[in-house]
Structure formats: structure tokens, C-alpha cells
């Protein structure tokens, strides 16, 4: 599957703004996470991005690039804004398409998986005459991942673990839509755990601390002996020595109780 991944706006076009955030930055962060999950975890996936940095790219450049590359699917990642009180997630396909079209069927899968995990109000499946939906030669979707000018939605956007979760939701939808298969592992995976908490707020604080020291981390909800915990994950590796190297970095950052969880696959 050849995915053209489009983080909306960028460079001189910041997109929507609100609560100290710029849409272009949120879009890019989520899109990069989508790319990384797909290329690291799935077979036979190629991802081309309209931008991988804070670059100015015109709408024509985006769709022309996707069409020339002969992508199978066009995914444009955005955030919304309105009047400060609107909230939630919605996605769009082109207004000319029927609900029974292939594009609509793909969208149904993405919509279902994203709304399972994104903690946002579900504003529904919509249609519009947006350039990237109209001018792309392949099935296309545009997702609006919350309202940046709404304080509650913006608070989620600030969280690296939330952006990771939203990216994972998009990937889960793509995997179902295109019947993607997981890459075979070495038989084991080693997860670096940087704390487990009963409170999500405490877990988010740990993530923020690690992020401030250059260590990517996110919150994963796990059930242990029937109890739900918010576990901070700071990496997952198929090679134990790589996991141990990451564990040392996490401990040097001040998380002395970090450890490795070994899982067989």
C-alpha cells in the first residue's frame, strides 16, 4: 500500500491557532508518528509525505505529488477551530462521493478506529469540496483531530501520548482498510517502562519530564491483575541490548525505577 501522508499547512501557513498552539505543528507531529508506526510495524507499506518539516507547500504541490507518485490513498491530517466552544473529531471525504463508494468504506474504517481511542466528541462523518479531496486521483480522507481553540481539546493536543494514541488510531484504521499485515518480529519484544501510575495525570507528568530531556515516551493503558494502570513506555525493541541502552538513558534522566518488560510474540 502506497500512502500519501499530508500534514496540513506548514511554513508560512500556520493553520488554525489557539491556546498557544499552532495547527501546523500538531498536524506534523501526528503525521510523523503515523509514518513511523506504519514503516516500523507493517509489511509492504510505502509512505510519502507532503512535508516532514515546517515547510511551506501549496495545495497543488501536495495533490500533484501524490498523483505523480501514484499513491493508493491520500490521508490529510488537520486540527479544527471555530468559536472556542466547539469540540471534537470529524473527518471528510469529497462531497461528490456516495456513502457506498470505496472511499467511504475506507473512511468508515479510519473513523471507527480513531474515535475508539481519541477521547474526543464524535462529530461524525462529513463531506466537503476541499482541494486535497477533489484533486487527488486516489481515495482520500481529511481528518480534523479536535478544535485547537477549545481549551479541553487543546489540552489533549499538548500531550505527546495523546498524539501517539491518535496516530495509532489512524494506523489501526488503515491496517483494517487495506488488510495490512504486521512485520514478523524476532519472537520477542522488550518494552522500556518508565513508571506505572493509577493516575493518568501523574503518568502524563512523567511523559512530559522525559520529553523535556529528549526521550520519546507515551502513556499506555494496561490491565494488571484486573486493575487498570497508566504505564509510561519509553521504547519497544526486538533487540534486548537496544532496550538496555534506552533503559540506561531513562535512568540517567532521573527515573531510577525504570525497567524492561519482555513479551513473547
Amino acid at each position: 500500500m502506497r500512502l500519501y501522508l499530508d500534514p496540513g499547512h506548514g511554513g508560512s501557513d500556520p493553520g488554525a491557532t489557539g491556546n498557544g498552539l499552532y495547527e501546523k505543528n500538531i498536524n506534523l507531529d501526528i503525521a510523523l508518528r503515523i509514518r513511523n508506526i506504519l514503516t516500523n510495524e507493517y509489511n509492504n507499506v510505502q509512505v510519502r509525505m507532503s512535508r516532514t518539516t515546517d515547510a511551506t507547500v501549496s495545495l497543488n504541490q501536495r495533490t500533484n505529488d501524490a498523483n505523480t507518485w501514484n499513491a493508493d490513498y491520500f490521508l490529510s491530517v488537520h486540527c479544527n477551530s471555530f468559536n472556542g466552544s466547539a469540540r471534537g473529531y470529524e473527518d471528510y471525504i469529497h462531497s461528490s462521493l456516495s456513502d457506498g463508494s470505496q472511499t467511504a468504506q475506507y473512511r468508515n474504517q479510519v473513523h471507527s478506529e480513531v474515535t475508539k481511542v481519541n477521547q474526543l466528541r464524535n462529530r461524525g462523518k462529513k463531506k466537503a469540496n476541499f482541494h486535497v479531496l477533489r484533486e487527488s486521483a486516489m481515495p482520500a480522507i481529511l481528518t480534523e483531530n479536535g478544535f485547537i481553540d477549545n481549551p479541553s481539546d487543546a489540552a489533549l493536543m499538548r500531550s505527546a501520548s495523546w498524539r501517539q494514541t491518535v496516530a495509532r488510531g489512524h494506523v489501526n484504521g488503515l491496517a483494517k482498510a487495506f488488510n495490512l499485515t504486521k512485520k514478523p518480529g524476532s519472537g520477542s519484544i522488550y518494552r522500556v517502562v518508565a513508571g506505572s501510575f493509577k493516575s493518568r495525570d501523574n503518568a502524563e507528568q512523567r511523559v512530559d519530564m522525559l520529553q523535556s530531556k529528549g526521550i520519546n515516551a507515551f502513556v499506555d493503558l494496561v490491565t494488571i491483575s484486573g486493575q487498570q494502570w497508566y504505564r509510561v513506555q519509553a521504547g519497544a525493541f526486538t533487540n534486548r541490548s537496544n532496550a538496555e541502552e534506552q533503559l540506561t538513558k531513562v535512568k540517567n534522566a532521573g527515573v531510577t525505577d525504570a525497567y524492561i518488560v519482555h513479551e513473547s510474540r
Side-chain angles (χ1 to χ4, degrees):
M1 193 268 281
R2 292 160 69 88
L3 174 69
Y4 195 84
L5 184 54
D6 173 40
H9 307 283
S12 61
D13 173 16
T17 59
N19 296 290
L21 299 173
Y22 292 93
E23 181 192 354
K24 64 178 182 178
N25 297 332
I26 303 298
N27 298 344
L28 180 59
D29 185 89
I30 293 172
L32 288 170
R33 293 171 187 272
I34 291 171
R35 181 195 66 181
N36 292 344
I37 296 169
L38 280 171
T39 55
N40 288 335
E41 298 183 14
Y42 287 87
N43 291 309
N44 302 317
V45 178
Q46 296 179 58
V47 180
R48 185 178 178 93
M49 297 184 66
S50 60
R51 63 185 182 95
T52 56
T53 61
D54 185 18
T56 303
V57 185
S58 73
L59 293 175
N60 279 329
Q61 286 175 305
R62 295 168 201 251
T63 51
N64 288 346
D65 191 33
N67 293 341
T68 300
W69 188 56
N70 197 28
D72 295 308
Y73 198 52
F74 190 110
L75 168 59
S76 191
V77 177
H78 285 255
C79 305
N80 227 327
S81 69
F82 184 55
N83 61 1
S85 62
R87 299 181 61 187
Y89 169 86
E90 59 197 27
D91 46 42
Y92 291 85
I93 60 175
H94 191 254
S95 49
S96 66
L97 296 168
S98 74
D99 291 340
S101 64
Q102 183 67 73
T103 300
Q105 292 175 40
Y106 289 154
R107 188 265 289 279
N108 291 344
Q109 298 280 18
V110 174
H111 184 96
S112 174
E113 294 301 318
V114 173
T115 55
K116 280 180 186 177
V117 300
N118 67 1
Q119 304 172 60
L120 295 170
R121 181 178 297 162
N122 185 350
R123 296 171 59 88
K125 306 170 191 175
K126 302 187 177 183
K127 298 179 183 180
N129 188 32
F130 298 143
H131 175 99
V132 295
L133 303 179
R134 183 182 66 249
E135 301 300 329
S136 49
M138 67 294 303
I141 185 174
L142 185 147
T143 64
E144 294 276 11
N145 297 278
F147 283 74
I148 203 166
D149 59 346
N150 178 277
S152 297
D153 283 10
L156 291 172
M157 291 177 194
R158 281 195 182 88
S159 164
S161 64
W162 180 84
R163 298 190 302 271
Q164 180 75 13
T165 298
V166 168
R168 177 69 65 179
H170 281 73
V171 170
N172 291 346
L174 293 169
K176 288 193 171 183
F178 290 93
N179 298 312
L180 303 180
T181 59
K182 287 266 194 173
K183 287 182 177 179
S186 62
S188 295
I189 191 165
Y190 300 92
R191 301 185 189 278
V192 179
V193 177
S196 295
F197 303 87
K198 295 295 288 181
S199 162
R200 186 177 188 98
D201 286 344
N202 291 341
E204 293 284 5
Q205 288 175 20
R206 176 63 56 83
V207 167
D208 290 342
M209 183 274 283
L210 289 169
Q211 295 276 356
S212 73
K213 298 190 177 185
I215 298 173
N216 285 328
F218 64 94
V219 177
D220 188 24
L221 183 61
V222 297
T223 302
I224 303 171
S225 302
Q227 300 253 335
Q228 285 196 332
W229 293 85
Y230 295 99
R231 188 166 74 180
V232 177
Q233 184 173 306
F237 305 87
T238 55
N239 183 298
R240 186 176 182 97
S241 63
N242 291 339
E244 289 173 348
E245 183 179 335
Q246 180 74 344
L247 179 65
T248 299
K249 290 180 184 176
V250 170
K251 288 188 172 183
N252 289 342
V255 184
T256 56
D257 57 343
Y259 57 95
I260 292 172
V261 172
H262 175 213
E263 299 173 4
S264 298
R265 297 199 277 183

